[in-house]
Amino acid sequence: MKKTILIHPDPRLKKICEPVPDLSDELRTLAEDMLESMYDAPGIGLAAPQVGVLSRLIVMDCIKDGTPEPMVMFNPEVLGSSDELNTYEEGCLSIPEQFAEVTRPADVRVGWIDMDGNPQERDFGGLWATCVQHEIDHLQGKLFIDYLGPMKRQMMTRRSAKMKRERARG
C-alpha cells in the first residue's frame, strides 16, 4: 500500500530515528509499502521518516533501466568510507523538484539487517554510494539541503513550503 511522503518542512524529517529492536511482520510490510511508494514517486531511495515512521529503515534501488534491485535495510550504518569524493546532483522525494550538487565519499561500506533478520555488509560505489548515504542521513534528521550554504538552503526550503501549501489546497 502506497504511503504519503512527507514534504519539507515537516518536523518529523529533522528527528533522529530509533534503531529497530526486532523485525516484525508490521515492519516488513512497511518496507514493502515504502518500496512501492518509492517506485511510484518515482525515486531511487526512501527512508522511514519520510513516511512519518521514526525507525531506522531505508529502501533503495538505483537501477533505472533493467532488472530492479530493491534493497531493504534495517539499522543501516556506514562502517567505512573512501577518502575519494564524488559530487552528484541530488534530489529528494521530500523536497520535490529541487536539486543541488552534494559532495560525499565516493565509496562506502555499509552494514545492516536484511528482511530475514540476517546481518549484511556490502561496499557501494557511484550512485549507490550517494543514495545509501543520503538515505542514512534521513535517519539522523539530516536532509541533502543541510550540505548547502544558508542562502540556497533557505531558498529551497521556501520553495518546498510553497509547494506543500499548494498540494494541501488540492
Side-chain angles (χ1 to χ4, degrees):
M1 182 176 77
K2 282 191 298 196
K3 299 282 187 190
T4 300
I5 296 172
L6 301 179
I7 303 298
H8 171 69
D10 185 297
R12 290 168 287 184
L13 294 171
K14 301 303 284 180
K15 299 257 191 271
I16 294 176
C17 296
E18 292 295 317
V20 173
D22 273 319
L23 291 190
S24 62
D25 289 341
E26 185 181 341
L27 280 170
R28 287 183 183 91
T29 299
L30 173 62
E32 289 166 7
D33 291 348
M34 285 171 57
L35 280 168
E36 181 183 345
S37 304
M38 177 192 78
Y39 287 126
D40 182 68
I44 60 170
L46 188 64
Q50 292 180 272
V51 295
V53 178
L54 299 179
S55 294
R56 295 188 73 78
L57 163 62
I58 65 171
V59 299
M60 61 181 201
D61 184 352
C62 295
I63 303 296
K64 293 184 178 173
D65 298 309
T67 307
E69 283 184 40
M71 297 195 74
V72 173
M73 299 179 168
F74 295 96
N75 299 333
E77 61 179 319
V78 175
L79 303 174
S81 57
S82 64
D83 291 334
E84 182 188 341
L85 302 175
N86 256 350
T87 301
Y88 272 99
E89 186 177 68
E90 293 188 27
C92 181
L93 296 176
S94 292
I95 308 173
E97 299 170 24
Q98 299 190 71
F99 304 90
E101 288 193 342
V102 177
T103 301
R104 301 177 182 272
D107 300 291
V108 290
R109 181 161 196 78
V110 177
W112 73 94
I113 305 296
D114 69 15
M115 288 275 273
D116 298 320
N118 299 315
Q120 301 289 334
E121 274 188 29
R122 183 167 150 189
D123 293 318
F124 294 94
L127 181 58
W128 285 92
T130 296
C131 183
V132 75
Q133 291 173 84
H134 175 113
E135 299 310 328
I136 290 173
D137 274 355
H138 274 296
L139 305 180
Q140 295 300 117
K142 189 169 189 172
L143 302 172
F144 85 94
I145 60 171
D146 294 331
Y147 289 93
L148 308 177
M151 295 290 281
K152 185 151 185 154
R153 185 170 56 242
Q154 288 170 355
M155 181 187 74
M156 292 177 90
T157 296
R158 281 197 295 275
R159 203 177 295 152
S160 185
K162 181 180 179 201
M163 184 178 289
K164 186 176 176 178
R165 286 191 302 275
E166 288 168 356
R167 285 185 179 183
R169 283 191 212 108

